[in-house]
């Protein structure tokens, strides 16, 4: 049950390392809360996600699946199966724009665990390997807790796993009786209720500049998640061209479509994260059509010369300028 206004609440901030970055929680809690137990539970849940889904950990369940022979059933933890199921669903809904099987491309271009610079031979191999669409190449048996590949696949869940981890943080907070919280992991955030004062949580939208961190604007959230994907933190420069770390599984190339960033709102952070990734990969007109088709609230920042042009759907709706779409 929600806390009554007569209970004194104080602001608690917790954080820790995970997935090459940090998780953080701000929450308004009663003084009787066992802070040590909450901190440990939050740490354990993000570590569990990382241990199962990290492409950098050789023995993660994800990498075991990547190494598994084609045609063999492999038992997987329920958390990883849940993320794989949602990843395949968004892949279908986006007509393959969101593709969790771009791991070979990620590695080839130096953004993964295999190397930190592009490798021409690996890029050629990744581009010319033929396989069925990912939803056909990967079969999930959720009732039996297992999965099998029908073609060689290298899965990479970096476009969805952080959002899932934020959802898990919120689940833990709810289990500990926290009703006012903001949970964050990198560019993925989710709120539980409002602040104890009744005010919504204010979240800054980052300006997509690689050299400095400044706010482009502010969104107020309550019982809502937000995720941002962009081309400005992880990229490779090829001459005058900036190639983002996100991969387009259809063309089998890094994203280079003039989209600086996409921010998506959704009830669950796993969905906000996956759709932000998808809309970054899509060209603006295709992404806007996807957002309208699926009722997404999204804000694009598009590079037009030295200027940024906003394009939006839902609460972010803007007049669609010809050069934006």
């Amino acid at each position: 049950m929600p806390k009554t206004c007569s209970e004194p609440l104080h602001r608690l901030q917790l954080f820790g390392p995970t997935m090459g970055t940090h998780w953080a929680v701000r929450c308004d809690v009663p003084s009787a809360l066992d802070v040590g137990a909450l901190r440990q539970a939050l740490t354990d849940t993000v570590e569990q996600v990382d241990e199962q889904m990290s492409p950098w950990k050789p023995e993660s369940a994800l990498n075991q699946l990547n190494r598994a022979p084609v045609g063999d059933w492999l038992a997987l933890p329920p958390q990883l199966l849940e993320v794989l199921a949602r990843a395949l669903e968004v892949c279908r809904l986006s007509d393959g724009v969101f593709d969790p099987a771009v791991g070979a491309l990620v590695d080839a271009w130096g953004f993964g665990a295999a190397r930190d610079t592009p490798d021409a031979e690996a890029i050629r191999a990744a581009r010319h390997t033929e396989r069925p669409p990912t939803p056909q190449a990967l079969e999930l048996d959720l009732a039996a807790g297992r999965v099998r590949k029908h073609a060689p696949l290298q899965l990479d869940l970096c476009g969805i796993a952080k959002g899932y981890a934020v959802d898990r943080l919120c689940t833990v907070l709810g289990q500990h009786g926290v009703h006012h919280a903001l949970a964050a992991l990198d560019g993925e955030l989710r709120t539980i209720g409002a602040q104890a004062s009744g005010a919504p949580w204010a979240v800054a939208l980052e300006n997509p500049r690689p050299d400095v961190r400044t706010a482009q604007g502010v969104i107020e959230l309550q019982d809502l998640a937000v995720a941002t994907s962009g081309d400005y933190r992880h990229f490779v420069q090829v001459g005058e061209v900036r190639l983002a770390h996100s991969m387009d599984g259809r063309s089998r190339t890094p994203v280079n479509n003039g989209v600086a960033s996409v921010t998506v709102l959704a009830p669950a952070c796993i969905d906000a994260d996956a759709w932000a990734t998808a809309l970054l990969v899509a060209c603006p007109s295709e992404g806007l059509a996807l957002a309208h088709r699926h009722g997404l609230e999204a804000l694009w920042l598009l590079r037009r010369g030295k200027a940024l042009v906003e394009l939006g759907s839902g609460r972010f709706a803007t007049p669609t300028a010809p050069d934006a779409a």
Side-chain angles (χ1 to χ4, degrees):
M1 295 179 61
K3 302 297 180 183
T4 65
C5 59
S6 61
E7 281 190 89
L9 302 179
H10 68 278
R11 177 61 53 88
L12 175 66
Q13 299 191 62
L14 301 170
F15 57 90
T18 190
M19 301 183 187
T21 182
H22 291 80
W23 63 267
V25 166
R26 294 181 184 177
C27 50
D28 296 327
V29 300
S31 57
L33 179 76
D34 187 336
V35 176
L38 176 60
R39 179 185 288 110
Q40 189 61 55
L42 293 169
T43 299
D44 289 346
T45 199
V46 292
E47 286 186 353
Q48 182 185 62
V49 175
D50 195 23
E51 288 293 332
Q52 292 184 15
M53 305 178 203
S54 172
W56 283 271
K57 295 181 182 294
E59 296 309 312
S60 70
L62 176 67
N63 277 327
Q64 291 178 41
L65 173 58
N66 285 335
R67 293 193 298 266
V70 171
D72 288 2
W73 286 105
L74 178 68
L76 291 178
Q79 295 85 359
L80 178 53
L81 283 167
E82 181 182 355
V83 173
L84 286 172
R86 190 57 186 152
L88 291 180
E89 181 65 12
V90 177
C91 185
R92 293 187 191 97
L93 293 173
S94 66
D95 299 324
V97 178
F98 178 84
D99 189 349
V102 294
L105 283 167
V106 171
D107 275 349
W109 280 94
F111 296 114
R115 58 185 61 84
D116 55 11
T117 56
D119 181 274
E121 184 175 346
I123 291 169
R124 282 193 295 271
R127 291 195 65 185
H128 294 99
T129 299
E130 296 297 328
R131 62 170 176 81
T134 302
Q136 298 175 24
L138 189 66
E139 180 182 358
L140 272 60
D141 183 349
L142 297 180
R146 60 182 188 168
V147 62
R148 65 176 170 180
K149 299 182 294 188
H150 295 290
L153 290 178
Q154 185 175 336
L155 296 156
D156 186 307
L157 299 176
C158 291
I160 192 171
K162 288 180 180 178
Y164 176 74
V166 171
D167 288 334
R168 295 293 302 160
L169 288 172
C170 289
T171 297
V172 169
L173 289 164
Q175 291 169 344
H176 283 75
V178 177
H179 304 284
H180 311 277
L182 169 64
L185 201 168
D186 215 7
E188 288 67 53
L189 305 94
R190 181 174 169 180
T191 60
I192 300 175
Q195 300 182 59
S197 65
W201 297 94
V203 174
L205 292 181
E206 192 173 25
N207 181 286
R209 291 179 56 184
D211 52 338
V212 295
R213 288 185 179 269
T214 59
Q216 178 75 14
V218 175
I219 301 177
E220 294 186 333
L221 302 178
Q222 181 173 334
D223 287 318
L224 203 60
V226 60
T228 298
S229 293
D231 72 349
Y232 55 97
R233 289 292 169 219
H234 305 289
F235 59 88
V236 61
Q237 196 77 24
V238 180
E240 297 297 316
V241 179
R242 172 187 294 166
L243 300 176
H245 71 291
S246 296
M247 298 292 153
D248 188 335
R250 302 162 302 172
S251 63
R252 301 187 183 183
T253 58
V255 170
N256 177 29
N257 57 11
V259 179
S261 69
V262 184
T263 297
V264 175
L265 304 182
C269 203
I270 188 173
D271 293 328
D273 193 7
W275 280 112
T277 302
L279 299 184
L280 178 70
V281 171
C283 69
S285 58
E286 180 184 24
L288 190 62
L290 281 171
H292 287 159
R293 186 190 314 163
H294 297 293
L296 302 175
E297 294 192 288
L299 174 66
W300 287 257
L301 294 179
L302 310 177
R303 299 188 188 280
R304 295 295 181 263
K306 295 184 178 180
L308 289 174
V309 175
E310 291 190 2
L311 182 68
S313 63
R315 75 174 66 181
F316 302 113
T318 54
T320 307
D323 66 332

